[in-house]
Amino acid sequence: MALRIPSFGPFPPLVRRVCGGLLLAATVALTPAAAAAGFVAAAFATASVWLLAAAGLAVAAAVAALLAGAAFRLLGRGGLRATAALTAVLLIGVTALAAVTVFRPMPAPATGPVPSGVRFWNLPTGSRIAYVHAPAAGTPRPTPVIFLHGGPGTPAEGVPTGGRELAAQGFEVYSYDQVGAGRSSRLSDVTGYTVARQVADLDAIRRLLGADRIVLVGQSWGGSLAAQYLRAHASHVAKAVFTSPGALWGREYPGSEVGEPWDDLTPAQRSRRDDLDSRPRLIAASLLLGVSPRAAHALAGDRELDQWMHEVALVGKDTTSCAGAAPTEAHNNPQGFYSNQMTVKDFEQLPDPRPVLRTVHVPSLIMRGECDFVRPEVTQEYRQTLPDSRLVHVRGAGHAIARARPRLYTALLEAFLLDKPLPAPKP
């Protein structure tokens, strides 16, 4: 079908020149936007980056030809030859711009060597899970302790605070990187990052350990995951500890409604965060995530976006502590971008777990730091929902109680798991 250039009736020459000039300016301005719109819209039909790029260029060419043709018609010169020339120049420009922005990979340094204490489970779910283990002293107790890290997608490093002390009391202690994070495997299909997958992995670990019941210690998102495991497998949980837990129900507290950890950035930190968030490739991947997560993953892979998430974590690593707290020591266990994005999205669509959890009689300890950015009512909901729970407020601690008050945190864990009176929190 031939392109038909609109024809215009008689206008005063000045008006025609002004309108033609404005249309030419609009052509230059709108062609890149049209390319971006076509690129993203094509993700409804395909995850191929090449096809997305071709669709973007096709839409850009159509918009450029239509607007440029109308502009030259108003100006009374150039015609189809000028239209074709301007369209070609704009497409070359769009291609060059995309090559140095959207299609230019972000930094993705090679990961360092795996620490000597890290081992791996190959689970029947298909996950290859990295973990560390503090073996029990003496005769092991029948209920191993499993620490669940936060995020989703923000793993810990090494045996967690309190882990070795619990091992000295006869507990087998494990801490693992959830699938899609740390040194554990990444999924080729990122839509597989769901809460159900995380729960299935955890239950597979329990069965692999040969334990009928386990003790769960969940930090932040790890608390949310522990609650979901309780909902599905309460009979296999001996006790549960929720440390600065995230939302009990994602649909009730979606996104930053749980609390905002980024409010206290310094101007320099804010500038750095803005710089990280404004990277064109990240913006393109984020737009694609809303249309086709597979297309987003095809454009920007795990290593570069995990590294981006790591850099963001470095910016905010000290924003969740009490004022005046010592800086947090960073580690290099990789973050998990797609695990974070997709698991959170799935978590916010799950049905309300509270009706089931109100019937679960598992002894539970909930800890909340006085400077925790998570809203108090989010933490309080655990206490109100779990019938056999106790809430302890810890002064002088932020979101990471184990880091701010390690001795008290460890004492609380030991007392709770050994059925001893809990120590009274003191300044």
mmCIF file of all heavy atoms in Angstrom, residues 368-414:
data_model
loop_
_atom_site.group_PDB
_atom_site.id
_atom_site.type_symbol
_atom_site.label_atom_id
_atom_site.label_comp_id
_atom_site.label_asym_id
_atom_site.label_seq_id
_atom_site.Cartn_x
_atom_site.Cartn_y
_atom_site.Cartn_z
ATOM 1 N N ARG A 368 11.040 -6.692 66.836
ATOM 2 C CA ARG A 368 10.956 -5.421 66.114
ATOM 3 C C ARG A 368 11.948 -4.432 66.717
ATOM 4 O O ARG A 368 11.946 -4.200 67.934
ATOM 5 C CB ARG A 368 9.546 -4.836 66.180
ATOM 6 C CG ARG A 368 9.459 -3.456 65.539
ATOM 7 C CD ARG A 368 8.085 -2.830 65.598
ATOM 8 N NE ARG A 368 8.148 -1.466 65.096
ATOM 9 C CZ ARG A 368 8.181 -1.142 63.805
ATOM 10 N NH1 ARG A 368 8.122 -2.092 62.899
ATOM 11 N NH2 ARG A 368 8.276 0.112 63.418
ATOM 12 N N GLY A 369 12.793 -3.835 65.866
ATOM 13 C CA GLY A 369 13.718 -2.811 66.330
ATOM 14 C C GLY A 369 13.032 -1.459 66.425
ATOM 15 O O GLY A 369 12.119 -1.153 65.644
ATOM 16 N N GLU A 370 13.463 -0.650 67.365
ATOM 17 C CA GLU A 370 12.788 0.633 67.585
ATOM 18 C C GLU A 370 12.930 1.571 66.388
ATOM 19 O O GLU A 370 12.085 2.441 66.183
ATOM 20 C CB GLU A 370 13.314 1.299 68.861
ATOM 21 C CG GLU A 370 14.503 2.188 68.698
ATOM 22 C CD GLU A 370 14.903 2.931 69.954
ATOM 23 O OE1 GLU A 370 14.121 3.781 70.420
ATOM 24 O OE2 GLU A 370 16.014 2.670 70.460
ATOM 25 N N CYS A 371 13.968 1.405 65.570
ATOM 26 C CA CYS A 371 14.166 2.281 64.405
ATOM 27 C C CYS A 371 13.805 1.591 63.094
ATOM 28 O O CYS A 371 14.179 2.068 62.012
ATOM 29 C CB CYS A 371 15.625 2.745 64.337
ATOM 30 S SG CYS A 371 16.223 3.551 65.840
ATOM 31 N N ASP A 372 13.081 0.489 63.171
ATOM 32 C CA ASP A 372 12.723 -0.234 61.953
ATOM 33 C C ASP A 372 11.872 0.648 61.055
ATOM 34 O O ASP A 372 10.914 1.280 61.512
ATOM 35 C CB ASP A 372 11.954 -1.507 62.320
ATOM 36 C CG ASP A 372 11.803 -2.467 61.155
ATOM 37 O OD1 ASP A 372 12.256 -2.141 60.039
ATOM 38 O OD2 ASP A 372 11.235 -3.553 61.367
ATOM 39 N N PHE A 373 12.203 0.674 59.748
ATOM 40 C CA PHE A 373 11.414 1.478 58.808
ATOM 41 C C PHE A 373 10.069 0.832 58.499
ATOM 42 O O PHE A 373 9.153 1.499 58.015
ATOM 43 C CB PHE A 373 12.199 1.683 57.502
ATOM 44 C CG PHE A 373 12.342 0.453 56.656
ATOM 45 C CD1 PHE A 373 11.365 0.102 55.732
ATOM 46 C CD2 PHE A 373 13.462 -0.368 56.781
ATOM 47 C CE1 PHE A 373 11.489 -1.035 54.952
ATOM 48 C CE2 PHE A 373 13.600 -1.504 56.003
ATOM 49 C CZ PHE A 373 12.605 -1.841 55.087
ATOM 50 N N VAL A 374 9.928 -0.460 58.761
ATOM 51 C CA VAL A 374 8.655 -1.137 58.527
ATOM 52 C C VAL A 374 7.610 -0.577 59.494
ATOM 53 O O VAL A 374 7.868 -0.406 60.690
ATOM 54 C CB VAL A 374 8.793 -2.658 58.718
ATOM 55 C CG1 VAL A 374 7.433 -3.350 58.638
ATOM 56 C CG2 VAL A 374 9.739 -3.235 57.671
ATOM 57 N N ARG A 375 6.433 -0.291 58.973
ATOM 58 C CA ARG A 375 5.382 0.301 59.787
ATOM 59 C C ARG A 375 5.034 -0.596 60.973
ATOM 60 O O ARG A 375 4.951 -1.827 60.831
ATOM 61 C CB ARG A 375 4.137 0.539 58.936
ATOM 62 C CG ARG A 375 4.337 1.581 57.857
ATOM 63 C CD ARG A 375 3.218 1.580 56.840
ATOM 64 N NE ARG A 375 1.908 1.784 57.442
ATOM 65 C CZ ARG A 375 0.781 1.899 56.741
ATOM 66 N NH1 ARG A 375 0.818 1.819 55.411
ATOM 67 N NH2 ARG A 375 -0.360 2.083 57.354
ATOM 68 N N PRO A 376 4.827 -0.024 62.156
ATOM 69 C CA PRO A 376 4.538 -0.845 63.342
ATOM 70 C C PRO A 376 3.338 -1.762 63.156
ATOM 71 O O PRO A 376 3.329 -2.893 63.654
ATOM 72 C CB PRO A 376 4.275 0.210 64.431
ATOM 73 C CG PRO A 376 4.999 1.429 63.975
ATOM 74 C CD PRO A 376 4.928 1.417 62.484
ATOM 75 N N GLU A 377 2.309 -1.294 62.446
ATOM 76 C CA GLU A 377 1.126 -2.133 62.282
ATOM 77 C C GLU A 377 1.399 -3.367 61.430
ATOM 78 O O GLU A 377 0.702 -4.374 61.541
ATOM 79 C CB GLU A 377 -0.029 -1.323 61.678
ATOM 80 C CG GLU A 377 0.286 -0.576 60.409
ATOM 81 C CD GLU A 377 0.705 0.864 60.657
ATOM 82 O OE1 GLU A 377 1.420 1.102 61.656
ATOM 83 O OE2 GLU A 377 0.324 1.737 59.846
ATOM 84 N N VAL A 378 2.428 -3.295 60.564
ATOM 85 C CA VAL A 378 2.808 -4.466 59.785
ATOM 86 C C VAL A 378 3.343 -5.553 60.719
ATOM 87 O O VAL A 378 2.974 -6.732 60.625
ATOM 88 C CB VAL A 378 3.861 -4.102 58.717
ATOM 89 C CG1 VAL A 378 4.391 -5.352 58.023
ATOM 90 C CG2 VAL A 378 3.268 -3.137 57.698
ATOM 91 N N THR A 379 4.226 -5.154 61.636
ATOM 92 C CA THR A 379 4.770 -6.107 62.604
ATOM 93 C C THR A 379 3.689 -6.584 63.559
ATOM 94 O O THR A 379 3.595 -7.776 63.880
ATOM 95 C CB THR A 379 5.914 -5.456 63.397
ATOM 96 O OG1 THR A 379 6.827 -4.830 62.498
ATOM 97 C CG2 THR A 379 6.650 -6.493 64.224
ATOM 98 N N GLN A 380 2.868 -5.668 64.020
ATOM 99 C CA GLN A 380 1.832 -6.004 64.988
ATOM 100 C C GLN A 380 0.856 -7.042 64.430
ATOM 101 O O GLN A 380 0.303 -7.856 65.178
ATOM 102 C CB GLN A 380 1.067 -4.732 65.397
ATOM 103 C CG GLN A 380 0.051 -4.941 66.513
ATOM 104 C CD GLN A 380 0.687 -5.335 67.831
ATOM 105 O OE1 GLN A 380 1.807 -4.920 68.138
ATOM 106 N NE2 GLN A 380 -0.003 -6.147 68.607
ATOM 107 N N GLU A 381 0.669 -7.049 63.133
ATOM 108 C CA GLU A 381 -0.274 -7.987 62.534
ATOM 109 C C GLU A 381 0.157 -9.435 62.751
ATOM 110 O O GLU A 381 -0.680 -10.338 62.877
ATOM 111 C CB GLU A 381 -0.443 -7.699 61.045
ATOM 112 C CG GLU A 381 -1.588 -8.458 60.413
ATOM 113 C CD GLU A 381 -1.991 -7.882 59.080
ATOM 114 O OE1 GLU A 381 -1.099 -7.681 58.228
ATOM 115 O OE2 GLU A 381 -3.199 -7.640 58.887
ATOM 116 N N TYR A 382 1.463 -9.685 62.810
ATOM 117 C CA TYR A 382 1.938 -11.037 63.114
ATOM 118 C C TYR A 382 1.474 -11.443 64.515
ATOM 119 O O TYR A 382 1.009 -12.569 64.734
ATOM 120 C CB TYR A 382 3.463 -11.095 63.031
ATOM 121 C CG TYR A 382 3.995 -11.159 61.626
ATOM 122 C CD1 TYR A 382 4.103 -10.012 60.844
ATOM 123 C CD2 TYR A 382 4.409 -12.367 61.062
ATOM 124 C CE1 TYR A 382 4.604 -10.066 59.550
ATOM 125 C CE2 TYR A 382 4.908 -12.430 59.773
ATOM 126 C CZ TYR A 382 5.000 -11.271 59.016
ATOM 127 O OH TYR A 382 5.485 -11.329 57.724
ATOM 128 N N ARG A 383 1.626 -10.515 65.445
ATOM 129 C CA ARG A 383 1.220 -10.816 66.820
ATOM 130 C C ARG A 383 -0.281 -11.049 66.918
ATOM 131 O O ARG A 383 -0.754 -11.937 67.651
ATOM 132 C CB ARG A 383 1.637 -9.649 67.747
ATOM 133 C CG ARG A 383 1.170 -9.806 69.195
ATOM 134 C CD ARG A 383 1.837 -10.991 69.863
ATOM 135 N NE ARG A 383 1.225 -11.273 71.160
ATOM 136 C CZ ARG A 383 0.199 -12.093 71.356
ATOM 137 N NH1 ARG A 383 -0.355 -12.734 70.316
ATOM 138 N NH2 ARG A 383 -0.273 -12.296 72.561
ATOM 139 N N GLN A 384 -1.056 -10.271 66.190
ATOM 140 C CA GLN A 384 -2.506 -10.389 66.245
ATOM 141 C C GLN A 384 -3.018 -11.627 65.517
ATOM 142 O O GLN A 384 -4.108 -12.124 65.831
ATOM 143 C CB GLN A 384 -3.145 -9.135 65.640
ATOM 144 C CG GLN A 384 -2.882 -7.864 66.432
ATOM 145 C CD GLN A 384 -3.271 -6.611 65.676
ATOM 146 O OE1 GLN A 384 -3.465 -6.641 64.451
ATOM 147 N NE2 GLN A 384 -3.379 -5.499 66.391
ATOM 148 N N THR A 385 -2.240 -12.124 64.564
ATOM 149 C CA THR A 385 -2.695 -13.250 63.739
ATOM 150 C C THR A 385 -2.254 -14.595 64.289
ATOM 151 O O THR A 385 -3.040 -15.551 64.332
ATOM 152 C CB THR A 385 -2.182 -13.093 62.293
ATOM 153 O OG1 THR A 385 -2.650 -11.852 61.761
ATOM 154 C CG2 THR A 385 -2.654 -14.237 61.418
ATOM 155 N N LEU A 386 -1.002 -14.699 64.705
ATOM 156 C CA LEU A 386 -0.461 -15.974 65.181
ATOM 157 C C LEU A 386 -0.821 -16.173 66.648
ATOM 158 O O LEU A 386 -0.364 -15.412 67.508
ATOM 159 C CB LEU A 386 1.054 -16.000 64.984
ATOM 160 C CG LEU A 386 1.524 -15.886 63.530
ATOM 161 C CD1 LEU A 386 3.025 -15.659 63.465
ATOM 162 C CD2 LEU A 386 1.124 -17.130 62.742
ATOM 163 N N PRO A 387 -1.616 -17.166 66.986
ATOM 164 C CA PRO A 387 -2.139 -17.285 68.355
ATOM 165 C C PRO A 387 -1.078 -17.579 69.404
ATOM 166 O O PRO A 387 -1.233 -17.173 70.564
ATOM 167 C CB PRO A 387 -3.150 -18.431 68.248
ATOM 168 C CG PRO A 387 -2.776 -19.185 67.018
ATOM 169 C CD PRO A 387 -2.172 -18.195 66.082
ATOM 170 N N ASP A 388 -0.018 -18.273 69.051
ATOM 171 C CA ASP A 388 1.004 -18.633 70.038
ATOM 172 C C ASP A 388 2.274 -17.810 69.819
ATOM 173 O O ASP A 388 3.384 -18.341 69.755
ATOM 174 C CB ASP A 388 1.330 -20.130 69.942
ATOM 175 C CG ASP A 388 0.131 -20.997 70.276
ATOM 176 O OD1 ASP A 388 -0.820 -20.483 70.897
ATOM 177 O OD2 ASP A 388 0.140 -22.181 69.891
ATOM 178 N N SER A 389 2.094 -16.510 69.700
ATOM 179 C CA SER A 389 3.238 -15.642 69.400
ATOM 180 C C SER A 389 3.491 -14.641 70.507
ATOM 181 O O SER A 389 2.608 -14.333 71.321
ATOM 182 C CB SER A 389 3.001 -14.890 68.084
ATOM 183 O OG SER A 389 1.892 -14.014 68.190
ATOM 184 N N ARG A 390 4.715 -14.135 70.506
ATOM 185 C CA ARG A 390 5.120 -13.084 71.443
ATOM 186 C C ARG A 390 5.932 -12.057 70.688
ATOM 187 O O ARG A 390 6.800 -12.415 69.867
ATOM 188 C CB ARG A 390 5.948 -13.673 72.592
ATOM 189 C CG ARG A 390 6.427 -12.622 73.584
ATOM 190 C CD ARG A 390 7.114 -13.245 74.773
ATOM 191 N NE ARG A 390 7.618 -12.232 75.684
ATOM 192 C CZ ARG A 390 8.293 -12.490 76.804
ATOM 193 N NH1 ARG A 390 8.537 -13.755 77.149
ATOM 194 N NH2 ARG A 390 8.725 -11.512 77.581
ATOM 195 N N LEU A 391 5.670 -10.791 70.957
ATOM 196 C CA LEU A 391 6.364 -9.686 70.292
ATOM 197 C C LEU A 391 7.334 -9.029 71.260
ATOM 198 O O LEU A 391 6.951 -8.659 72.379
ATOM 199 C CB LEU A 391 5.352 -8.658 69.772
ATOM 200 C CG LEU A 391 5.901 -7.361 69.186
ATOM 201 C CD1 LEU A 391 6.813 -7.627 67.986
ATOM 202 C CD2 LEU A 391 4.760 -6.431 68.789
ATOM 203 N N VAL A 392 8.584 -8.886 70.828
ATOM 204 C CA VAL A 392 9.622 -8.246 71.638
ATOM 205 C C VAL A 392 10.123 -7.009 70.895
ATOM 206 O O VAL A 392 10.511 -7.096 69.727
ATOM 207 C CB VAL A 392 10.794 -9.210 71.903
ATOM 208 C CG1 VAL A 392 11.917 -8.485 72.645
ATOM 209 C CG2 VAL A 392 10.324 -10.416 72.700
ATOM 210 N N HIS A 393 10.115 -5.874 71.576
ATOM 211 C CA HIS A 393 10.653 -4.633 71.016
ATOM 212 C C HIS A 393 12.109 -4.480 71.472
ATOM 213 O O HIS A 393 12.421 -4.619 72.657
ATOM 214 C CB HIS A 393 9.826 -3.428 71.480
ATOM 215 C CG HIS A 393 8.429 -3.425 70.935
ATOM 216 N ND1 HIS A 393 8.106 -2.871 69.717
ATOM 217 C CD2 HIS A 393 7.271 -3.931 71.441
ATOM 218 C CE1 HIS A 393 6.819 -3.018 69.491
ATOM 219 N NE2 HIS A 393 6.282 -3.658 70.514
ATOM 220 N N VAL A 394 12.977 -4.181 70.515
ATOM 221 C CA VAL A 394 14.406 -4.089 70.790
ATOM 222 C C VAL A 394 14.861 -2.649 70.594
ATOM 223 O O VAL A 394 14.812 -2.117 69.475
ATOM 224 C CB VAL A 394 15.212 -5.035 69.874
ATOM 225 C CG1 VAL A 394 16.700 -4.931 70.193
ATOM 226 C CG2 VAL A 394 14.728 -6.469 70.048
ATOM 227 N N ARG A 395 15.291 -2.032 71.669
ATOM 228 C CA ARG A 395 15.777 -0.655 71.582
ATOM 229 C C ARG A 395 17.163 -0.618 70.951
ATOM 230 O O ARG A 395 17.944 -1.548 71.053
ATOM 231 C CB ARG A 395 15.820 -0.024 72.977
ATOM 232 C CG ARG A 395 14.458 0.105 73.646
ATOM 233 C CD ARG A 395 14.567 0.802 74.981
ATOM 234 N NE ARG A 395 15.092 2.163 74.843
ATOM 235 C CZ ARG A 395 15.365 2.952 75.875
ATOM 236 N NH1 ARG A 395 15.172 2.536 77.123
ATOM 237 N NH2 ARG A 395 15.835 4.168 75.668
ATOM 238 N N GLY A 396 17.448 0.516 70.295
ATOM 239 C CA GLY A 396 18.764 0.711 69.713
ATOM 240 C C GLY A 396 19.025 -0.117 68.468
ATOM 241 O O GLY A 396 20.180 -0.294 68.067
ATOM 242 N N ALA A 397 17.966 -0.621 67.839
ATOM 243 C CA ALA A 397 18.139 -1.441 66.639
ATOM 244 C C ALA A 397 17.215 -0.943 65.547
ATOM 245 O O ALA A 397 16.110 -0.467 65.815
ATOM 246 C CB ALA A 397 17.850 -2.914 66.939
ATOM 247 N N GLY A 398 17.678 -1.068 64.309
ATOM 248 C CA GLY A 398 16.853 -0.740 63.167
ATOM 249 C C GLY A 398 16.283 -2.001 62.559
ATOM 250 O O GLY A 398 15.854 -2.912 63.271
ATOM 251 N N HIS A 399 16.308 -2.063 61.227
ATOM 252 C CA HIS A 399 15.718 -3.210 60.546
ATOM 253 C C HIS A 399 16.542 -4.478 60.780
ATOM 254 O O HIS A 399 15.980 -5.571 60.852
ATOM 255 C CB HIS A 399 15.617 -2.900 59.055
ATOM 256 C CG HIS A 399 14.769 -3.854 58.291
ATOM 257 N ND1 HIS A 399 13.438 -4.070 58.583
ATOM 258 C CD2 HIS A 399 15.065 -4.663 57.228
ATOM 259 C CE1 HIS A 399 12.934 -4.955 57.738
ATOM 260 N NE2 HIS A 399 13.899 -5.338 56.915
ATOM 261 N N ALA A 400 17.859 -4.335 60.883
ATOM 262 C CA ALA A 400 18.735 -5.492 61.083
ATOM 263 C C ALA A 400 19.103 -5.587 62.560
ATOM 264 O O ALA A 400 20.139 -5.086 62.996
ATOM 265 C CB ALA A 400 19.978 -5.378 60.211
ATOM 266 N N ILE A 401 18.240 -6.218 63.334
ATOM 267 C CA ILE A 401 18.459 -6.324 64.782
ATOM 268 C C ILE A 401 19.729 -7.099 65.081
ATOM 269 O O ILE A 401 20.488 -6.753 65.994
ATOM 270 C CB ILE A 401 17.237 -6.995 65.445
ATOM 271 C CG1 ILE A 401 15.993 -6.140 65.233
ATOM 272 C CG2 ILE A 401 17.482 -7.230 66.924
ATOM 273 C CD1 ILE A 401 14.703 -6.788 65.686
ATOM 274 N N ALA A 402 19.992 -8.151 64.317
ATOM 275 C CA ALA A 402 21.173 -8.978 64.561
ATOM 276 C C ALA A 402 22.461 -8.183 64.416
ATOM 277 O O ALA A 402 23.456 -8.468 65.093
ATOM 278 C CB ALA A 402 21.184 -10.158 63.595
ATOM 279 N N ARG A 403 22.462 -7.171 63.558
ATOM 280 C CA ARG A 403 23.658 -6.358 63.377
ATOM 281 C C ARG A 403 23.800 -5.312 64.482
ATOM 282 O O ARG A 403 24.902 -5.072 64.981
ATOM 283 C CB ARG A 403 23.623 -5.676 62.006
ATOM 284 C CG ARG A 403 24.863 -4.853 61.701
ATOM 285 C CD ARG A 403 24.888 -4.390 60.264
ATOM 286 N NE ARG A 403 23.809 -3.441 59.978
ATOM 287 C CZ ARG A 403 22.889 -3.608 59.050
ATOM 288 N NH1 ARG A 403 22.886 -4.706 58.306
ATOM 289 N NH2 ARG A 403 21.957 -2.692 58.835
ATOM 290 N N ALA A 404 22.693 -4.715 64.870
ATOM 291 C CA ALA A 404 22.744 -3.637 65.862
ATOM 292 C C ALA A 404 22.906 -4.156 67.287
ATOM 293 O O ALA A 404 23.629 -3.574 68.096
ATOM 294 C CB ALA A 404 21.484 -2.778 65.755
ATOM 295 N N ARG A 405 22.209 -5.254 67.613
ATOM 296 C CA ARG A 405 22.238 -5.801 68.980
ATOM 297 C C ARG A 405 22.524 -7.310 68.918
ATOM 298 O O ARG A 405 21.684 -8.133 69.277
ATOM 299 C CB ARG A 405 20.884 -5.558 69.666
ATOM 300 C CG ARG A 405 20.442 -4.107 69.757
ATOM 301 C CD ARG A 405 21.302 -3.281 70.714
ATOM 302 N NE ARG A 405 21.375 -3.844 72.047
ATOM 303 C CZ ARG A 405 20.485 -3.617 73.022
ATOM 304 N NH1 ARG A 405 19.441 -2.839 72.798
ATOM 305 N NH2 ARG A 405 20.643 -4.150 74.222
ATOM 306 N N PRO A 406 23.711 -7.691 68.472
ATOM 307 C CA PRO A 406 23.990 -9.118 68.244
ATOM 308 C C PRO A 406 23.888 -9.974 69.501
ATOM 309 O O PRO A 406 23.382 -11.105 69.441
ATOM 310 C CB PRO A 406 25.410 -9.125 67.658
ATOM 311 C CG PRO A 406 26.005 -7.809 68.066
ATOM 312 C CD PRO A 406 24.864 -6.848 68.110
ATOM 313 N N ARG A 407 24.372 -9.473 70.628
ATOM 314 C CA ARG A 407 24.337 -10.297 71.845
ATOM 315 C C ARG A 407 22.905 -10.514 72.314
ATOM 316 O O ARG A 407 22.518 -11.633 72.676
ATOM 317 C CB ARG A 407 25.172 -9.636 72.939
ATOM 318 C CG ARG A 407 26.666 -9.604 72.625
ATOM 319 C CD ARG A 407 27.467 -8.917 73.704
ATOM 320 N NE ARG A 407 27.358 -9.598 74.988
ATOM 321 C CZ ARG A 407 27.915 -9.151 76.111
ATOM 322 N NH1 ARG A 407 28.610 -8.010 76.103
ATOM 323 N NH2 ARG A 407 27.781 -9.836 77.229
ATOM 324 N N LEU A 408 22.109 -9.448 72.302
ATOM 325 C CA LEU A 408 20.720 -9.584 72.720
ATOM 326 C C LEU A 408 19.954 -10.464 71.736
ATOM 327 O O LEU A 408 19.153 -11.323 72.140
ATOM 328 C CB LEU A 408 20.067 -8.210 72.832
ATOM 329 C CG LEU A 408 18.565 -8.204 73.132
ATOM 330 C CD1 LEU A 408 18.269 -8.929 74.436
ATOM 331 C CD2 LEU A 408 18.035 -6.769 73.173
ATOM 332 N N TYR A 409 20.192 -10.255 70.458
ATOM 333 C CA TYR A 409 19.521 -11.051 69.432
ATOM 334 C C TYR A 409 19.817 -12.534 69.631
ATOM 335 O O TYR A 409 18.903 -13.381 69.613
ATOM 336 C CB TYR A 409 19.992 -10.589 68.054
ATOM 337 C CG TYR A 409 19.478 -11.399 66.891
ATOM 338 C CD1 TYR A 409 18.187 -11.230 66.412
ATOM 339 C CD2 TYR A 409 20.297 -12.340 66.261
ATOM 340 C CE1 TYR A 409 17.718 -11.972 65.327
ATOM 341 C CE2 TYR A 409 19.840 -13.079 65.186
ATOM 342 C CZ TYR A 409 18.544 -12.889 64.723
ATOM 343 O OH TYR A 409 18.083 -13.625 63.663
ATOM 344 N N THR A 410 21.077 -12.855 69.838
ATOM 345 C CA THR A 410 21.466 -14.250 70.044
ATOM 346 C C THR A 410 20.845 -14.809 71.319
ATOM 347 O O THR A 410 20.361 -15.948 71.345
ATOM 348 C CB THR A 410 22.999 -14.368 70.111
ATOM 349 O OG1 THR A 410 23.558 -13.901 68.871
ATOM 350 C CG2 THR A 410 23.429 -15.800 70.348
ATOM 351 N N ALA A 411 20.834 -14.001 72.376
ATOM 352 C CA ALA A 411 20.244 -14.461 73.637
ATOM 353 C C ALA A 411 18.751 -14.733 73.487
ATOM 354 O O ALA A 411 18.221 -15.699 74.054
ATOM 355 C CB ALA A 411 20.485 -13.413 74.728
ATOM 356 N N LEU A 412 18.063 -13.889 72.720
ATOM 357 C CA LEU A 412 16.635 -14.103 72.478
ATOM 358 C C LEU A 412 16.403 -15.392 71.693
ATOM 359 O O LEU A 412 15.493 -16.179 72.015
ATOM 360 C CB LEU A 412 16.048 -12.911 71.725
ATOM 361 C CG LEU A 412 15.838 -11.633 72.539
ATOM 362 C CD1 LEU A 412 15.581 -10.440 71.616
ATOM 363 C CD2 LEU A 412 14.670 -11.804 73.519
ATOM 364 N N LEU A 413 17.215 -15.629 70.678
ATOM 365 C CA LEU A 413 17.084 -16.860 69.904
ATOM 366 C C LEU A 413 17.299 -18.087 70.783
ATOM 367 O O LEU A 413 16.503 -19.045 70.769
ATOM 368 C CB LEU A 413 18.085 -16.882 68.748
ATOM 369 C CG LEU A 413 17.825 -16.010 67.524
ATOM 370 C CD1 LEU A 413 18.944 -16.209 66.503
ATOM 371 C CD2 LEU A 413 16.489 -16.351 66.886
ATOM 372 N N GLU A 414 18.381 -18.079 71.545
ATOM 373 C CA GLU A 414 18.695 -19.235 72.382
ATOM 374 C C GLU A 414 17.598 -19.496 73.402
ATOM 375 O O GLU A 414 17.146 -20.634 73.573
ATOM 376 C CB GLU A 414 20.031 -19.016 73.096
ATOM 377 C CG GLU A 414 21.252 -19.119 72.204
ATOM 378 C CD GLU A 414 22.536 -19.113 73.001
ATOM 379 O OE1 GLU A 414 23.028 -18.012 73.322
ATOM 380 O OE2 GLU A 414 23.046 -20.205 73.328
#
